[in-house]
Amino acid sequence: MNLYESIYVRKSVRHFKMETINQEVIEKLKNFIAQIDSLFPEIKTKVEILDNINKKEKLKGMLVPSAPYYLVIYSEEKEKYDLNAGYIMEQISLYMTSKGIGSCFLGMAKSPKQTEENELHFVIGMAFGMPKGEAIRHDYEAKRLSLEELCVFKETPKTWVKEILEAARLAPSSFNSQPWRFVVYENRIHVFSKKAPSSKKNHGKYNEFNFGVMLANISIAAEEIWVDLDLIKLNNITHKTIPNNQYVISILIKQ
């Protein structure tokens, strides 16, 4: 299973076996992390794996499951650092899925260190390990809005545009909020962020991280079907295209 195939079967796993993962598998995971392409290479990041087999490295915070391992990401606090972190962490999660390892993002976790890691800021954690139940699910089991609910189609999109949108649709998000909305043309997609209701203010805390996760899915899908993407912000896109939504970025698709 590759990263693209993992998009369709990945699920959040919260119940783990407290057992070690083969060291060779851990080393391959570390090598994968070292080679990840970030969205903004100029932003310094560090990913660290915590071994909690002896229950001495458990991340603290609300709703943090007991797991044999945790993974944390630190970043410089620069513009779009949350977006960049989401882009990196989703690739790691999909890689784990491809190897039969379960994982879940921990939005309520606290930094495992008393001080910042080399002046880098703790962004988010992830629990991972061998799952007690199934490590995967079928794409039809994912509780996601349909493309018709997420998209405004201005033109009939190319087939590969729909494939990319499907990968975006399946992206995980905090509270399963799916904050993204798309205005779709034949070979371009304008991405908007749906404003959360005032009664759900906490849903916006990791909004930018969520969008990084979704853009990782888009990039992986594009690479799988041999399509080149340009991510750009256009000054002439107004918020009037979709009411109560804020423009984020545009995706230009070339083949």
Side-chain angles (χ1 to χ4, degrees):
M1 186 187 303
N2 61 22
L3 297 191
Y4 177 68
E5 292 165 334
S6 295
I7 289 173
Y8 288 84
V9 298
R10 180 204 172 274
K11 72 173 186 177
S12 294
V13 173
R14 294 180 175 83
H15 301 284
F16 303 91
K17 298 175 183 177
M18 291 302 291
E19 60 183 41
T20 59
I21 294 174
N22 185 286
Q23 190 58 36
E24 183 180 351
V25 175
I26 293 293
E27 290 304 317
K28 287 182 178 179
L29 171 60
K30 290 179 179 178
N31 289 337
F32 174 81
I33 293 169
Q35 297 173 27
I36 285 177
D37 291 325
S38 61
L39 199 55
F40 302 107
E42 68 277 10
I43 300 177
K44 293 180 182 178
T45 59
K46 180 179 180 180
V47 175
E48 190 174 66
I49 293 174
L50 306 178
D51 186 335
N52 189 47
I53 288 294
N54 295 322
K55 300 185 179 180
K56 294 181 179 180
E57 293 282 356
K58 187 179 188 299
L59 286 183
K60 296 181 180 180
M62 291 179 61
L63 305 177
V64 174
S66 181
Y69 302 92
Y70 298 98
L71 185 144
V72 294
I73 184 168
Y74 300 91
S75 174
E76 286 184 290
E77 288 190 274
K78 290 185 175 180
E79 184 179 3
K80 304 300 182 185
Y81 78 92
D82 273 328
L83 193 74
N84 193 54
Y87 190 83
I88 292 170
M89 292 290 272
E90 173 68 351
Q91 292 178 74
I92 297 171
S93 181
L94 291 173
Y95 176 83
M96 290 178 179
T97 298
S98 75
K99 303 303 179 185
I101 300 170
S103 68
C104 67
F105 296 126
L106 304 175
M108 305 297 283
K110 297 178 181 179
S111 173
K113 299 183 183 298
Q114 295 297 320
T115 58
E116 299 300 345
E117 175 70 21
N118 297 325
E119 299 183 352
L120 300 182
H121 171 75
F122 171 75
V123 182
I124 198 170
M126 177 193 293
F128 74 95
M130 302 310 297
K132 283 187 176 179
E134 292 291 332
I136 61 175
R137 50 112 179 102
H138 297 291
D139 57 339
Y140 59 79
E141 295 176 307
K143 296 179 180 179
R144 301 287 191 271
L145 296 174
S146 67
L147 284 182
E148 289 69 26
E149 293 172 291
L150 293 173
C151 301
V152 173
F153 292 97
K154 295 292 189 179
E155 296 174 355
T156 302
K158 299 287 188 181
T159 301
W160 52 84
V161 175
K162 282 196 171 182
E163 288 186 51
I164 288 170
L165 285 169
E166 182 63 15
R169 186 185 77 85
L170 290 171
S173 54
S174 54
F175 301 99
N176 201 24
S177 56
Q178 291 183 267
W180 33 77
R181 295 296 182 269
F182 308 104
V183 177
V184 184
Y185 291 82
E186 182 184 42
N187 60 354
R188 66 189 187 278
I189 303 166
H190 302 307
V191 182
F192 289 77
S193 174
K194 184 176 178 61
K195 295 179 180 177
S198 57
S199 61
K200 298 182 178 180
K201 291 181 180 179
N202 287 337
H203 284 211
K205 180 180 178 182
Y206 282 100
N207 220 36
E208 198 166 86
F209 181 90
N210 291 333
F211 273 82
V213 169
M214 182 270 292
L215 289 174
N217 276 20
I218 283 179
S219 295
I220 290 166
E223 182 176 354
E224 177 70 16
I225 59 179
W226 291 24
V227 169
D228 290 328
L229 299 179
D230 278 339
L231 301 177
I232 60 174
K233 194 150 189 173
L234 301 174
N235 294 326
N236 61 340
I237 301 294
T238 69
H239 298 179
K240 296 180 181 179
T241 310
I242 305 181
N244 300 317
N245 285 262
Q246 183 175 357
Y247 172 66
V248 177
I249 202 165
S250 293
I251 302 166
L252 305 185
I253 303 168
K254 301 174 289 184
Q255 191 179 51

